[in-house]
Amino acid sequence: MAPTLQDLLDHRALGLKLVVAGTEGALDRQVAWVSGSDLPDPTPFLLADQVLLTTGTQFGTAVSTTQVEAYVARLADAGVAGLGFGTEVITAGTPPELAEACAAHGMPLVEVPYRTPFIAVIRYAADLLTEAARARDAWALGAQRAIAFAALRPNATVAVVTELARSLGAWVVLFDAHATPVAIAGDGPTAAPEAERLLERVAGEATMLLSRGQRSGATLASRTRTVSLQTLGRRGDLRGVLAIAGTDGPLDAAAQSVVTSVVAIAGLTLEQGGALGRAGRSLRTGVWQLLRAGQAAAAREVAEQLGTPLPSGAVRVGVCSGPTDGREALLTELERAETLGPGSLFVAEQDGRPVLLLAAAEGDTETDVDRAVEAVIAAAPARRLGLSRSLALADLPTGIEQAVSAHEHAVSAGEAVVRFGALAAAGMAGLLDPVRAAAVAEELLEPVLRVDREEGSDLVPSLRGWLEANGQWEPAARRLGIHRHTLRNRITRVEQVLGRPLDTFAARAELWLALASLPDGDALRSREAVL
């Protein structure tokens, strides 16, 4: 620890005498250096936290209150830690004007006796600074040694972060490549809401650093803490972010050297963890292939060895997708959901997409794992999930087909989660791609829609009413509020405009699907015309 002004006062050999104590705690302020100057304005040559020694030559024998006031004000503004006045050189004793100015600005004032050379004060301060630097270096070596031993423990990542937090007396958070906290240690904010807000804010800053894809750092300041963030890994291959929140301001060189060693170790452990994770995913994909080949017994045995048992009983199959650059994050979050209930969820890959096996609850009721998976899908706008009906594991091929159909509908309809059961309940029309079906419907019905727009006729609503009445003239005309001969004329006109007869079921069914697939605007205009 760097020396303080009080340390200089306590060294009796110097014979320093305190004249003005300054503000509360000023004597315990750490001193960066001690220097001497009799310049009227020495501040361009001073650094903050220095102690300045002067003989008062700049004031002359007739000390001016105004001159001294301006001099001390400049020192205070420059962050000078204290002023030492050498007596018996220009004046006998310390000028009272100087003492009054120092008291007014909260500047500590020390009297240096004539017998004490300024160089003696400077040398003693230098010795204390050297001793403090050696102590910090020894501390840094000890901390690095302890951290190196922590890296040999079973859960190396958590052990290293915990040891760093203990060594620095700080709150430390390690984020992975997706800005998800993987280890938190040290004394954070005691109030839960404040801790959550700080963690959320730090996670947001970590996300920004990771999104840049290059090595960088940042600093955040809260009401009580200063948080330093530093990325882990290489440019274009970042592995995570290390965040350190302390209450004593920025880290010194010794503490930064300890952090540098942790950055290297944590980056390595995260990279090793990523390699193990990729290997595990390859094995999961192998289990999935065994299941598809009908080797359920072998698949179960391998999954048990991996520590991710397959669901027992009825299952549902899920097929997921998301943005290409977010595939790794999607897989990681789904794998994290596995830990909520071993044997309730199994995650693998098929054709480059995540696939799931979820344990089916009685009556297909929603489970905690279901909600966790849906929360993962909802976490990003472009993520989609298709789920099959409940079925036996032996019927996996059927489940995959159902899940793929549901997933394709989710993608085309822009829905986050689609269940095949709900899709099947909507009938064959529910399987149509809404966007593509609307485009085909508009193209097919465009001649009729154009006639209605140009002539103000009601061919489309008349066609809809007639088809909904199963081609029966009287009921359809009554519902439309027109004579049946008028309706016949309108349907004949539709046939002429479209260039096709409507006397077959296939032709009528095609037009009915086209009307059902029209965009909302055309459908709304048709309903308004009927009413």
Side-chain angles (χ1 to χ4, degrees):
M1 185 175 180
T4 65
L5 191 55
Q6 186 64 56
D7 292 329
L8 301 180
L9 288 166
D10 291 341
H11 189 54
R12 293 186 178 182
L14 296 177
L16 305 181
K17 176 185 175 183
L18 181 64
V19 179
V20 175
T23 57
E24 183 179 357
L27 297 181
D28 296 324
R29 179 178 174 181
Q30 293 185 9
V31 174
W33 190 246
V34 177
S35 59
S37 174
D38 286 340
L39 290 173
D41 183 12
T43 54
F45 312 101
L46 299 177
L47 298 175
D49 300 325
Q50 280 190 255
V51 171
L52 177 65
L53 305 179
T54 184
T55 63
T57 303
Q58 66 272 34
F59 304 138
T61 54
V63 179
S64 165
T65 301
T66 303
Q67 181 186 16
V68 169
E69 163 68 26
Y71 175 79
V72 175
R74 287 194 294 269
L75 297 184
D77 291 341
V80 171
L83 180 64
F85 187 81
T87 62
E88 314 305 328
V89 178
I90 301 299
T91 62
T94 302
E97 295 86 354
L98 182 60
E100 291 174 3
C102 286
H105 289 277
M107 173 74 67
L109 176 62
V110 175
E111 189 173 277
V112 184
Y114 184 80
R115 64 177 177 80
T116 302
F118 281 0
I119 190 62
V121 180
I122 295 172
R123 179 177 296 170
Y124 181 66
D127 290 343
L128 292 179
L129 287 167
T130 301
E131 183 181 344
R134 288 175 180 167
R136 287 298 287 172
D137 288 343
W139 169 84
L141 287 173
Q144 289 171 349
R145 186 180 298 110
I147 287 169
F149 281 121
L152 300 176
R153 297 173 192 166
N155 193 342
T157 302
V158 174
V160 166
V161 169
T162 301
E163 186 59 39
L164 177 62
R166 187 196 66 78
S167 297
L168 297 181
W171 182 62
V172 181
V173 184
L174 178 64
F175 297 91
D176 63 14
H178 311 298
T180 301
V182 295
I184 302 177
D187 296 328
T190 53
E194 182 183 352
E196 292 174 2
R197 285 194 298 270
L198 180 59
L199 182 59
E200 182 179 353
R201 186 181 175 196
V202 174
E205 188 67 26
T207 301
M208 291 182 59
L209 291 177
L210 290 167
S211 67
R212 296 172 188 165
Q214 57 188 6
R215 298 186 62 180
S216 58
T219 301
L220 292 177
S222 68
R223 185 171 53 86
T224 58
R225 296 170 183 269
T226 299
V227 185
S228 300
L229 297 94
Q230 187 170 343
T231 58
L232 310 176
R234 303 182 300 274
R235 177 189 178 100
D237 188 25
L238 298 181
R239 296 295 177 181
V241 173
L242 183 67
I244 302 170
T247 57
D248 298 328
L251 302 176
D252 63 8
Q256 190 59 54
S257 69
V258 175
V259 172
T260 300
S261 65
V262 171
V263 167
I265 294 172
L268 180 60
T269 56
L270 287 175
E271 187 167 354
Q272 290 174 337
L276 290 174
R278 288 188 291 274
R281 286 172 187 169
S282 297
L283 290 173
R284 291 164 182 264
T285 300
V287 171
W288 185 260
Q289 296 299 337
L290 286 173
L291 289 172
R292 294 184 66 185
Q295 303 294 322
R300 283 193 181 279
E301 184 175 350
V302 175
E304 288 285 348
Q305 294 296 323
L306 286 174
T308 54
L310 298 176
S312 58
V315 298
R316 283 162 300 156
V317 181
V319 173
C320 307
S321 67
T324 303
D325 57 356
R327 175 176 167 274
E328 186 74 14
L330 176 57
L331 276 168
T332 299
E333 292 172 36
L334 289 170
E335 289 167 356
R336 192 174 293 118
E338 279 183 325
T339 62
L340 295 177
S344 297
L345 173 64
F346 181 80
V347 181
E349 290 182 88
Q350 176 181 313
D351 301 328
R353 293 185 300 195
V355 287
L356 316 174
L357 278 183
L358 296 99
E362 186 176 352
D364 274 351
T365 57
E366 195 173 48
T367 65
D368 290 340
V369 173
D370 291 335
R371 286 185 283 271
V373 169
E374 291 178 14
V376 169
I377 299 302
R383 290 179 179 176
R384 302 289 180 257
L385 169 64
L387 287 171
S388 73
R389 291 182 180 273
S390 296
L391 39 77
L393 195 57
D395 297 324
L396 181 64
T398 300
I400 293 175
E401 291 178 2
Q402 293 180 359
V404 168
S405 296
H407 174 265
E408 290 176 350
H409 188 82
V411 172
S412 62
E415 299 179 24
V417 180
V418 172
R419 293 170 174 78
F420 184 80
L423 192 62
M428 295 301 294
L431 296 174
L432 295 177
D433 182 328
V435 176
R436 296 168 66 182
V440 173
E442 286 185 309
E443 179 68 21
L444 177 61
L445 295 171
E446 171 55 26
V448 183
L449 292 169
R450 185 172 62 253
V451 169
D452 277 354
R453 287 193 299 268
E454 294 176 354
E455 301 180 5
S457 57
D458 295 324
L459 297 184
V460 170
S462 297
L463 175 61
R464 184 187 299 274
W466 179 63
L467 292 174
E468 289 177 350
N470 297 317
Q472 298 181 37
W473 301 104
E474 191 66 40
R478 190 163 50 249
R479 180 183 176 190
L480 292 168
I482 58 178
H483 196 275
R484 64 178 181 277
H485 295 310
T486 302
L487 178 59
R488 284 182 182 275
N489 292 335
R490 290 181 181 179
I491 298 304
T492 300
R493 181 73 190 283
V494 169
E495 291 177 321
Q496 293 170 348
V497 170
L498 293 178
R500 64 171 66 186
L502 299 180
D503 56 353
T504 65
F505 173 79
R508 296 179 183 181
E510 185 178 19
L511 286 184
W512 179 84
L513 278 174
L515 288 169
S517 302
L518 279 177
D520 291 341
D522 290 324
L524 179 61
R525 285 192 293 273
S526 298
R527 287 195 295 271
E528 289 175 344
V530 171
L531 296 174

mmCIF file of all heavy atoms in Angstrom, residues 4 13 19 147 177 189 216 261 271 344 413 418 432 439 457 468-469:
data_model
loop_
_atom_site.group_PDB
_atom_site.id
_atom_site.type_symbol
_atom_site.label_atom_id
_atom_site.label_comp_id
_atom_site.label_asym_id
_atom_site.label_seq_id
_atom_site.Cartn_x
_atom_site.Cartn_y
_atom_site.Cartn_z
ATOM 1 N N THR A 4 1.190 7.342 3.134
ATOM 2 C CA THR A 4 0.275 8.466 3.324
ATOM 3 C C THR A 4 1.032 9.620 3.970
ATOM 4 O O THR A 4 2.174 9.468 4.436
ATOM 5 C CB THR A 4 -0.898 8.064 4.222
ATOM 6 O OG1 THR A 4 -0.396 7.757 5.538
ATOM 7 C CG2 THR A 4 -1.630 6.840 3.667
ATOM 8 N N ALA A 13 12.295 11.066 12.731
ATOM 9 C CA ALA A 13 13.587 11.588 12.272
ATOM 10 C C ALA A 13 13.423 12.797 11.358
ATOM 11 O O ALA A 13 14.321 13.639 11.268
ATOM 12 C CB ALA A 13 14.354 10.484 11.541
ATOM 13 N N VAL A 19 0.373 21.441 10.733
ATOM 14 C CA VAL A 19 -0.184 22.775 10.962
ATOM 15 C C VAL A 19 -1.684 22.787 10.654
ATOM 16 O O VAL A 19 -2.492 23.281 11.441
ATOM 17 C CB VAL A 19 0.544 23.830 10.106
ATOM 18 C CG1 VAL A 19 -0.063 25.220 10.331
ATOM 19 C CG2 VAL A 19 2.031 23.843 10.428
ATOM 20 N N ILE A 147 -4.243 -18.868 -7.851
ATOM 21 C CA ILE A 147 -5.155 -19.023 -8.985
ATOM 22 C C ILE A 147 -4.722 -20.198 -9.862
ATOM 23 O O ILE A 147 -5.553 -20.957 -10.381
ATOM 24 C CB ILE A 147 -5.212 -17.714 -9.792
ATOM 25 C CG1 ILE A 147 -5.998 -16.663 -8.994
ATOM 26 C CG2 ILE A 147 -5.842 -17.924 -11.164
ATOM 27 C CD1 ILE A 147 -5.903 -15.261 -9.545
ATOM 28 N N ALA A 177 -19.553 -17.126 -24.184
ATOM 29 C CA ALA A 177 -19.597 -16.437 -25.479
ATOM 30 C C ALA A 177 -20.980 -15.906 -25.829
ATOM 31 O O ALA A 177 -21.123 -15.126 -26.775
ATOM 32 C CB ALA A 177 -19.119 -17.373 -26.589
ATOM 33 N N PRO A 189 -23.752 -6.653 -4.472
ATOM 34 C CA PRO A 189 -24.723 -5.844 -3.734
ATOM 35 C C PRO A 189 -25.571 -6.722 -2.818
ATOM 36 O O PRO A 189 -25.991 -7.817 -3.196
ATOM 37 C CB PRO A 189 -25.576 -5.213 -4.839
ATOM 38 C CG PRO A 189 -24.691 -5.221 -6.048
ATOM 39 C CD PRO A 189 -23.866 -6.464 -5.923
ATOM 40 N N SER A 216 -11.538 -6.321 -26.534
ATOM 41 C CA SER A 216 -11.803 -4.964 -26.060
ATOM 42 C C SER A 216 -12.184 -5.006 -24.589
ATOM 43 O O SER A 216 -12.317 -6.074 -23.987
ATOM 44 C CB SER A 216 -12.941 -4.316 -26.877
ATOM 45 O OG SER A 216 -14.125 -5.105 -26.796
ATOM 46 N N SER A 261 -3.609 -12.921 -15.755
ATOM 47 C CA SER A 261 -3.406 -14.370 -15.669
ATOM 48 C C SER A 261 -4.739 -15.108 -15.651
ATOM 49 O O SER A 261 -4.878 -16.176 -16.253
ATOM 50 C CB SER A 261 -2.600 -14.711 -14.411
ATOM 51 O OG SER A 261 -3.321 -14.386 -13.229
ATOM 52 N N GLU A 271 -12.514 -22.404 -23.686
ATOM 53 C CA GLU A 271 -12.252 -23.032 -24.979
ATOM 54 C C GLU A 271 -12.290 -24.550 -24.860
ATOM 55 O O GLU A 271 -12.859 -25.240 -25.712
ATOM 56 C CB GLU A 271 -10.894 -22.586 -25.505
ATOM 57 C CG GLU A 271 -10.611 -23.069 -26.919
ATOM 58 C CD GLU A 271 -9.422 -22.384 -27.542
ATOM 59 O OE1 GLU A 271 -8.892 -21.441 -26.912
ATOM 60 O OE2 GLU A 271 -9.028 -22.780 -28.643
ATOM 61 N N SER A 344 -36.249 -35.703 -19.064
ATOM 62 C CA SER A 344 -37.433 -35.009 -19.586
ATOM 63 C C SER A 344 -37.174 -34.367 -20.940
ATOM 64 O O SER A 344 -38.106 -34.056 -21.672
ATOM 65 C CB SER A 344 -37.892 -33.926 -18.598
ATOM 66 O OG SER A 344 -38.278 -34.498 -17.376
ATOM 67 N N ALA A 413 -45.723 -19.142 -41.308
ATOM 68 C CA ALA A 413 -46.712 -18.283 -40.645
ATOM 69 C C ALA A 413 -46.077 -17.282 -39.693
ATOM 70 O O ALA A 413 -46.770 -16.402 -39.171
ATOM 71 C CB ALA A 413 -47.704 -19.157 -39.869
ATOM 72 N N VAL A 418 -45.467 -24.122 -33.068
ATOM 73 C CA VAL A 418 -46.640 -24.722 -33.701
ATOM 74 C C VAL A 418 -46.671 -26.194 -33.325
ATOM 75 O O VAL A 418 -45.665 -26.903 -33.484
ATOM 76 C CB VAL A 418 -46.614 -24.568 -35.235
ATOM 77 C CG1 VAL A 418 -47.743 -25.369 -35.874
ATOM 78 C CG2 VAL A 418 -46.733 -23.097 -35.624
ATOM 79 N N LEU A 432 -51.542 -25.401 -45.588
ATOM 80 C CA LEU A 432 -51.103 -24.517 -46.659
ATOM 81 C C LEU A 432 -50.178 -23.441 -46.108
ATOM 82 O O LEU A 432 -50.372 -22.923 -45.013
ATOM 83 C CB LEU A 432 -52.312 -23.855 -47.327
ATOM 84 C CG LEU A 432 -53.282 -24.786 -48.068
ATOM 85 C CD1 LEU A 432 -54.463 -23.978 -48.606
ATOM 86 C CD2 LEU A 432 -52.577 -25.519 -49.205
ATOM 87 N N ALA A 439 -50.651 -15.674 -52.416
ATOM 88 C CA ALA A 439 -50.171 -15.222 -53.724
ATOM 89 C C ALA A 439 -50.888 -15.964 -54.857
ATOM 90 O O ALA A 439 -51.297 -15.365 -55.862
ATOM 91 C CB ALA A 439 -48.659 -15.437 -53.816
ATOM 92 N N SER A 457 -69.123 -4.166 -59.247
ATOM 93 C CA SER A 457 -70.005 -5.333 -59.130
ATOM 94 C C SER A 457 -69.676 -6.128 -57.869
ATOM 95 O O SER A 457 -68.746 -5.806 -57.136
ATOM 96 C CB SER A 457 -69.839 -6.215 -60.366
ATOM 97 O OG SER A 457 -68.480 -6.605 -60.521
ATOM 98 N N GLU A 468 -70.530 -21.256 -50.252
ATOM 99 C CA GLU A 468 -70.840 -21.593 -48.861
ATOM 100 C C GLU A 468 -72.210 -22.239 -48.725
ATOM 101 O O GLU A 468 -72.478 -22.933 -47.740
ATOM 102 C CB GLU A 468 -70.746 -20.336 -47.991
ATOM 103 C CG GLU A 468 -69.300 -19.848 -47.803
ATOM 104 C CD GLU A 468 -69.227 -18.566 -46.997
ATOM 105 O OE1 GLU A 468 -70.307 -17.957 -46.757
ATOM 106 O OE2 GLU A 468 -68.118 -18.161 -46.613
ATOM 107 N N ALA A 469 -73.084 -22.011 -49.726
ATOM 108 C CA ALA A 469 -74.407 -22.647 -49.729
ATOM 109 C C ALA A 469 -74.386 -23.943 -50.526
ATOM 110 O O ALA A 469 -75.460 -24.450 -50.920
ATOM 111 C CB ALA A 469 -75.435 -21.684 -50.311
#
